[in-house]
Amino acid sequence: AIIFVDITEPLGLLGEAASELAAPMAQAALGESYRYNQTDCAKALRKIGPSKALPVLIGGLNKQSGIHRQVSAAFILGHMGKDGQKAVPALRTALKDPVLKVRIEAAGALWKITGKSDEVLPVLQNALKIPKDLFDYHDSKDRRRAAEVLAEMGPAAIPAIDDLTISLQDLY
């Protein structure tokens, strides 16, 4: 991971001159465990130009990629902001994934790319409504991530305030 972090920033500084490295960098980022490394990669990819990385990241959203890679792909795409526009159809498909954490991360990415809350709010609100008797450690992490995405949305998340309040009460 340290080597990965060490090279992403300099590659980003090279800009489009490093475009041939965008796809391998995106592939490496999908396997990366640390969010800050993925964020650094997304920043570098924005500077390099996303065109060669987007197919890799969009492919990472595919169910056959595995849950970790799906979540990583959505997270990185979200951090690419408007540069991730070509991934919107795949992210919309990921909103229907059977795995909650994939849906949450896809919702966050869609919000960051499109700025539209109508399709992401229901996903995030439902993530907060896991029945208390079915609740476990992983659900708490998913709820927390859903709350983080809602916080990133700012005023657009106001319709979810009641769900956030009830979710908080469920913890005690």
Side-chain angles (χ1 to χ4, degrees):
I2 296 198
I3 293 171
F4 185 74
V5 173
D6 288 347
I7 65 168
T8 53
E9 188 175 354
L11 287 175
L13 295 174
L14 290 173
E16 288 185 23
S19 66
E20 292 303 316
L21 299 173
M25 185 188 307
Q27 193 66 40
L30 290 179
E32 186 54 51
S33 299
Y34 298 102
R35 287 288 170 104
Y36 58 86
N37 292 354
Q38 293 173 342
T39 303
D40 287 347
C41 181
K43 289 177 188 173
L45 288 170
R46 287 182 78 178
K47 292 176 184 175
I48 290 170
S51 63
K52 294 192 178 176
L54 280 174
V56 173
L57 296 172
I58 292 169
L61 291 171
N62 189 311
K63 289 180 191 178
Q64 285 72 33
S65 296
I67 295 168
H68 173 77
R69 293 175 85 76
Q70 287 179 280
V71 170
S72 297
F75 180 82
I76 295 165
L77 285 163
H79 278 77
M80 292 179 72
K82 303 273 186 226
D83 289 333
Q85 191 67 37
K86 288 184 179 177
V88 168
L91 287 165
R92 285 187 174 131
T93 299
L95 287 179
K96 299 173 186 90
D97 193 274
V99 178
L100 180 61
K101 66 178 65 192
V102 173
R103 294 193 307 269
I104 292 168
E105 213 56 64
L110 272 172
W111 164 253
K112 289 178 181 177
I113 293 169
T114 68
K116 296 179 183 174
S117 63
D118 55 332
E119 59 191 337
V120 303
L121 272 175
V123 171
L124 299 171
Q125 289 173 291
N126 285 333
L128 298 173
K129 295 178 182 177
I130 299 165
K132 194 174 185 178
D133 56 335
L134 299 177
F135 199 75
D136 68 15
Y137 171 74
H138 296 290
D139 295 325
S140 70
K141 291 177 80 174
D142 292 341
R143 273 188 176 185
R144 178 187 172 132
R145 182 62 187 135
E148 289 171 351
V149 172
L150 288 165
E152 291 168 3
M153 293 173 64
I158 288 174
I161 293 293
D162 289 342
D163 297 307
L164 281 164
T165 303
I166 291 167
S167 178
L168 181 62
Q169 291 168 351
D170 272 357
L171 296 176
Y172 301 102

